[in-house]
Amino acid sequence: MGNAQKIDQWLDPEYIQVSRQEAARILGRSPKEFDRMRKDDAECPAGFKQGSERSARVLFRLADIYRYSQTLMERHDSGSEEG
C-alpha cells in the first residue's frame, strides 16, 4: 500500500508522454487507424514532435489520450441512446 501511494503522487498523466503506438493501444485501435482519427477528427490529439526534423518522433500527453477516450465513449453512449 505504501509504495502504490508514493507512485500515485508522482505519476501524473498530464506529464507522461506516450508514443503513437502506445496511444493507439490505449484507445484500442491500430496505429494506422489512430493516424486516420488524428487526420479526420478535430478532437483527436495531434501530439507534438520531439524535435524539429520532419521525421521527428510524435509523442502524446497521456491525459489528452484519456480525455479523447472519454469523448469517444460519450459519443458512443449518446448514439446508443438515440437508437
Side-chain angles (χ1 to χ4, degrees):
M1 180 179 147
N3 287 339
Q5 197 170 27
K6 289 178 187 175
I7 289 173
D8 289 345
Q9 291 173 353
W10 62 266
L11 277 180
D12 185 343
E14 288 293 332
Y15 302 102
I16 296 175
Q17 301 170 16
V18 297
S19 70
R20 175 179 147 267
Q21 289 83 2
E22 291 167 324
R25 190 175 311 125
I26 290 166
L27 295 171
R29 306 298 200 285
S30 70
K32 188 175 180 178
E33 190 176 4
F34 180 54
D35 287 342
R36 234 176 305 167
M37 294 167 81
R38 289 171 51 208
K39 180 182 174 207
D40 297 338
D41 187 349
E43 293 187 67
C44 186
F48 55 92
K49 287 196 170 193
Q50 211 171 18
S52 58
E53 303 84 34
R54 180 173 165 83
S55 62
R57 189 171 173 207
V58 177
L59 295 174
F60 299 84
R61 184 185 309 232
L62 183 58
D64 293 343
I65 299 301
Y66 285 167
R67 281 189 282 273
Y68 184 60
S69 178
Q70 181 66 36
T71 297
L72 293 174
M73 288 186 274
E74 287 169 358
R75 285 182 194 168
H76 174 73
D77 290 345
S78 66
S80 298
E81 292 170 5
E82 293 173 8

